[in-house]
Amino acid sequence: MKPTVDVQGAGGAPTTLDKRVTSLDDAVRAMAETRDFGKPTKLRRVLEALRRVLVQPGGAAAVQARAQALEEAGLFLETDWASPEILIPALVGPGLHSGDADTVVMEACSELRTLAVARGDYEHPSISAEDAREFLSQVLAMNLELLFTPPTEAERTQQGRTAQLIRDLFRHIADEIGYESVLDKLVDEIWRILRQRPIQVDQVQSLITRIAVYRGDPDVDPGTLSGQGIDRLITSLFGTTEACREDPGVEVFRARLQAMDNGGLQYEAAGFARAMHDTGLVSPYHAELLRFLLQKSDYLLGEALGLSDTGRNCLLRFGDLVHQLIEEAVHPQTAQCIYGLALLLDRGILYEPPLVPALWRQLALELSDAARERLRSVFGDEPGPKARLVAGVLSMLGLPLGVGQGDNPTCQSARALSMWAYNDPDYLLQMVVWAARDDEITMHFEGQPISSKDSESGVATTLPTDLDPVSLLVVPHLDRIYAEMGRRCADRPGDPHRWVNPEFHGWWAARGFRINVDVETGNLIDLDAFLRQFHASYHPEYNGGQPLIHPQPAGVAVTDSAARYVGWHAITILRVAPDPQEVMRVYFYNPNNDSGQDWGDGVVVSTAGNGERFGEASLPFGQFASRLYIFHIDPLERGEPEKVPAEDVERITGFIERSWGADRLPSGRLQALKVPLDR
């Protein structure tokens, strides 16, 4: 067997990976010592050991180091993977998304074997290092989203932890063979994500950092890494202006600022502001500039934030508060919150009477021990938990449509936070105080209090950790309360969202409710009436031209790219309007981190280019209606459902019948399904 890589932890103490690698080596050895006819009996142990290693940090490298030993032991015996020269790059993605854990492990091991060949660690008899590298380049190019985007709703539901295993595998492959073969597509994909303006950009920043490091490698041909798109991304973080062009470090940058006159400072401020508003990314140097300008002038602060007239007026009117927010929250480690602060000021929400005192309260807030430890465990000690939380508040108030649920089934809670930040920011700040100070949130359901401390477990089975600071503290409480509201409706007929949504989200969630699924059987019901009422309530041509005043909660049946049903998902309808091509579209908020998803049968969610504002997703009205299963309406505003053309209803019904409704039709295979409250 090939010598193993060193996977010892610090000080030589065995880590979880050490132990799992030892078990894998034992399983591989046992298979190698077994005759061919008996190897299938050893396969289960090897596959399970491989899966346990691959889900660990560093697991992919450990398996790569054992690629030759695995093949010689018989892992790929009598499978298509036994002949790597016949494998097709286009089939790797479907294999990894098959939903079968064994197939995923085998496919991952096949890619790592190919990587070992490409790196020259394994001289394979049937594939050269050059061919192996070309194969992996094609695989990366065909599966760009796996390099840096979080798992989709479909992947989370179907694959669980395996979805992250696959992403770790692809990042390892890209780090090993380089990005030049897929760089153009990669940069396009980064821009697509950034146009959605997410609060959390750690993954994008990490990828840009990797590209920058790779680009700085003297062995890399600079011609393969040229392009304005790449330059703009790298300089937005590491060389935004003349004073930090060569990424000199914060200390040097500060010394340069001290030597500048006001003209030089204004030039620096304008450069940082342009880059921030252009990309949605903020450089750590920007934070240092903002802290330096606190001692200079509010005019230069406004320049550095890139404020509109509204934002400048807010800065001048509430200068003491803004100064204190910057002093507390803005540090190189939290620089991203500067964008949230700028957009918060531009929204003009500080003129709402409760906001200014609520933010002063936030600055003076004493966090509970539990809240401090939770923030520290995820974000570290620099800056402290209080600064992290204030920075998170600024980001959420500035980017209410950038809230993401992470890799957690908590779309309802993420939607609530987004809706409050968008529509009722002082209520959001009250929630933050309760969660951070008291480690408890109390809400009311039909007049009765519900405490997050007294409620049973929520939808999430573990405490989420991949969230922004506000969500990190508040979501666990909301999740338990939401689940408790559902339990209090358990004995009522119909879908519990009818009662839960208005109580959970706020009074503006309309009390009228429509659903097109029978809760007891899972079958489609009243489709014609459902679709006509949706048009009459939301489509300007059938609701008297009434625009949507408050965001409304709704539920969609998520489907994959083959239009197969995945699960129920909570979204927010924001507005309905014609796009630049005069196509009527529904613009909505999706908490699922990346809204640009292919839902099959030509239903591809757009995030830019069709009149979307930052953070919005959109679909043509009929396509959106084809994935909708619940919505809220004002029961006193009936609209004109009878005027909706029958052919429009029939077309939408066709989309439903070809996708998630295929097994829910009276003439099809009936699928009994209790509509769950957890998505």
Side-chain angles (χ1 to χ4, degrees):
M1 176 175 284
K2 184 177 179 178
T4 61
V5 294
D6 179 16
V7 292
Q8 286 284 306
T15 64
T16 300
L17 179 59
D18 294 338
K19 298 172 184 176
R20 294 186 176 182
V21 163
T22 299
S23 297
L24 172 61
D25 289 340
D26 291 342
V28 173
R29 189 177 299 109
M31 175 181 273
E33 294 170 353
T34 303
R35 293 181 180 273
D36 286 357
F37 67 84
K39 290 186 187 296
T41 64
K42 306 294 183 181
L43 184 60
R44 170 52 45 206
R45 181 184 171 195
V46 173
L47 288 174
E48 184 59 27
L50 281 166
R51 186 189 65 79
R52 289 176 177 272
V53 170
L54 286 168
V55 297
Q56 291 294 311
V63 172
Q64 178 188 340
R66 291 159 175 78
Q68 184 171 352
L70 285 163
E71 181 156 31
E72 291 174 351
L75 175 64
F76 303 117
L77 194 65
E78 297 182 356
T79 70
D80 289 342
W81 292 292
S83 304
E85 71 277 7
I86 70 169
L87 297 178
I88 301 172
L91 297 182
V92 172
L96 292 171
H97 289 94
S98 65
D100 180 78
D102 290 348
T103 301
V104 172
V105 170
M106 291 287 282
E107 192 67 71
C109 289
S110 175
E111 307 321 308
L112 291 169
R113 172 191 57 182
T114 307
L115 180 57
V117 174
R119 296 283 294 172
D121 300 328
Y122 176 17
E123 291 188 11
H124 200 280
S126 59
I127 183 173
S128 68
E130 184 179 348
D131 289 342
R133 178 175 289 272
E134 177 62 23
F135 179 88
L136 291 174
S137 295
Q138 291 182 51
V139 169
L140 289 175
M142 292 175 182
N143 297 274
L144 281 176
E145 74 282 358
L146 297 177
L147 279 175
F148 59 95
T149 59
T152 65
E153 194 74 20
E155 289 172 301
R156 275 199 290 267
T157 302
Q158 296 169 350
Q159 299 175 358
R161 289 185 65 190
T162 303
Q164 193 58 48
L165 179 159
I166 295 169
R167 278 159 173 74
D168 292 341
L169 167 71
F170 270 74
R171 289 187 185 119
H172 175 73
I173 293 173
D175 283 342
E176 289 288 303
I177 71 166
Y179 292 95
E180 71 272 16
S181 59
V182 294
L183 202 62
D184 287 343
K185 293 180 181 177
L186 201 57
V187 169
D188 288 344
E189 192 68 7
I190 292 174
W191 281 109
R192 189 186 69 81
I193 295 296
L194 289 177
R195 279 194 291 268
Q196 298 176 54
R197 293 301 194 262
I199 289 176
Q200 293 174 276
V201 294
D202 292 350
Q203 289 181 314
V204 168
Q205 289 176 333
S206 175
L207 191 63
I208 294 171
T209 302
R210 294 183 188 201
I211 294 173
V213 170
Y214 186 74
R215 183 165 151 162
D217 189 331
D219 296 329
V220 174
D221 177 7
T224 65
L225 294 172
S226 59
Q228 185 179 6
I230 301 173
D231 289 335
R232 286 164 68 199
L233 291 172
I234 294 175
T235 58
S236 70
L237 294 178
F238 305 115
T240 315
T241 63
E242 198 62 40
C244 61
R245 184 71 63 199
E246 78 281 22
D247 192 15
V250 171
E251 295 296 331
V252 173
F253 178 68
R254 187 185 303 117
R256 291 175 179 176
L257 293 179
Q258 291 169 347
M260 289 183 186
D261 59 16
N262 281 349
L265 289 174
Q266 182 172 354
Y267 185 78
E268 288 290 304
F272 278 112
R274 276 195 306 272
M276 177 177 71
H277 287 283
D278 178 35
T279 64
L281 295 172
V282 186
S283 168
Y285 293 112
H286 198 162
E288 194 60 34
L289 172 68
L290 221 60
R291 296 183 69 85
F292 181 80
L293 292 180
L294 285 176
Q295 311 305 320
K296 293 294 182 178
S297 74
D298 283 350
Y299 172 77
L300 289 175
L301 269 183
E303 287 289 291
L305 291 169
L307 298 178
S308 66
D309 288 343
T310 299
R312 286 185 178 277
N313 289 336
C314 280
L315 172 60
L316 294 174
R317 173 66 180 83
F318 306 106
D320 290 346
L321 173 62
V322 175
H323 280 234
Q324 196 59 43
L325 288 169
I326 294 172
E327 189 71 41
E328 178 68 50
V330 175
H331 303 273
Q333 301 91 332
T334 59
Q336 194 61 31
C337 78
I338 297 172
Y339 189 45
L341 174 62
L343 296 182
L344 182 163
L345 293 171
D346 278 351
R347 290 182 69 193
I349 58 176
L350 292 185
Y351 286 110
E352 296 181 20
L355 256 292
V356 169
L359 285 170
W360 279 117
R361 176 183 60 183
Q362 184 68 48
L363 287 166
L365 191 66
E366 288 295 326
L367 275 59
S368 70
D369 291 342
R372 286 181 176 277
E373 182 54 36
R374 188 141 167 70
L375 288 165
R376 189 177 286 115
S377 67
V378 173
F379 297 107
D381 292 315
E382 292 294 332
K386 184 178 177 182
R388 285 283 181 183
L389 183 57
V390 176
V393 165
L394 296 180
S395 291
M396 191 168 286
L397 291 179
L399 293 157
L401 301 183
V403 181
Q405 70 188 83
D407 190 13
N408 313 288
T410 52
C411 52
Q412 292 278 358
S413 298
R415 176 174 68 179
L417 289 174
S418 170
M419 191 178 291
W420 298 333
Y422 185 94
N423 192 56
D424 198 2
D426 57 307
Y427 185 66
L428 169 70
L429 291 174
Q430 182 64 64
M431 286 287 177
V432 173
V433 168
W434 285 333
R437 183 192 64 195
D438 308 328
D439 200 27
E440 176 185 24
I441 288 178
T442 299
M443 298 177 71
H444 287 75
F445 182 74
E446 298 176 345
Q448 299 301 311
I450 297 178
S451 166
S452 60
K453 277 189 175 179
D454 299 335
S455 300
E456 300 174 25
S457 61
V459 174
T461 56
T462 59
L463 281 176
T465 59
D466 54 344
L467 301 174
D468 64 85
V470 171
S471 299
L472 190 72
L473 295 188
V474 180
V475 163
H477 297 280
L478 296 181
D479 186 40
R480 291 193 291 272
I481 291 172
Y482 169 75
E484 178 60 29
M485 288 183 177
R487 285 188 284 269
R488 296 192 182 189
C489 299
D491 59 349
R492 302 182 186 182
D495 189 294
H497 294 101
R498 176 189 303 270
W499 302 279
V500 171
N501 280 345
E503 298 284 341
F504 189 67
H505 293 296
W507 66 265
W508 50 83
R511 296 283 166 165
F513 183 81
R514 293 291 183 273
I515 184 169
N516 61 11
V517 176
D518 178 72
V519 174
E520 296 303 321
T521 66
N523 298 334
L524 287 164
I525 54 171
D526 300 330
L527 258 187
D528 185 88
F530 176 89
L531 294 173
R532 288 182 178 278
Q533 188 58 63
F534 180 62
H535 281 74
S537 300
Y538 287 89
H539 197 298
E541 292 181 16
Y542 309 106
N543 72 355
Q546 174 63 56
L548 189 62
I549 297 173
H550 295 104
Q552 290 297 313
V556 293
V558 174
T559 51
D560 62 17
S561 58
R564 296 170 299 192
Y565 170 76
V566 171
W568 313 114
H569 186 52
I571 56 97
T572 307
I573 300 176
L574 299 171
R575 60 192 180 97
V576 177
D579 67 14
Q581 291 75 41
E582 296 301 319
V583 175
M584 193 64 67
R585 300 180 78 90
V586 178
Y587 297 89
F588 61 98
Y589 160 75
N590 185 345
N592 193 19
N593 306 306
D594 177 12
S595 301
Q597 299 168 10
D598 184 348
W599 287 347
D601 195 25
V603 180
V604 180
V605 182
S606 169
T607 57
N610 288 293
E612 295 89 355
R613 299 164 186 165
F614 288 144
E616 289 182 334
S618 81
L619 281 170
F621 194 94
Q623 291 189 5
F624 179 84
S626 75
R627 296 302 189 268
L628 188 68
Y629 86 98
I630 60 173
F631 64 92
H632 289 262
I633 61 171
D634 185 336
L636 301 180
E637 295 179 359
R638 181 177 177 274
E640 299 176 308
E642 66 280 353
K643 290 189 176 181
V644 181
E647 55 268 26
D648 288 359
V649 174
E650 291 173 6
R651 184 174 62 257
I652 297 170
T653 301
F655 274 101
I656 296 173
E657 291 175 348
R658 293 190 300 272
S659 58
W660 66 279
D663 295 337
R664 304 173 187 275
L665 300 168
S667 59
R669 185 173 76 255
L670 298 183
Q671 177 182 337
L673 175 68
K674 181 74 173 180
V675 176
L677 193 64
D678 63 346
R679 306 301 280 176

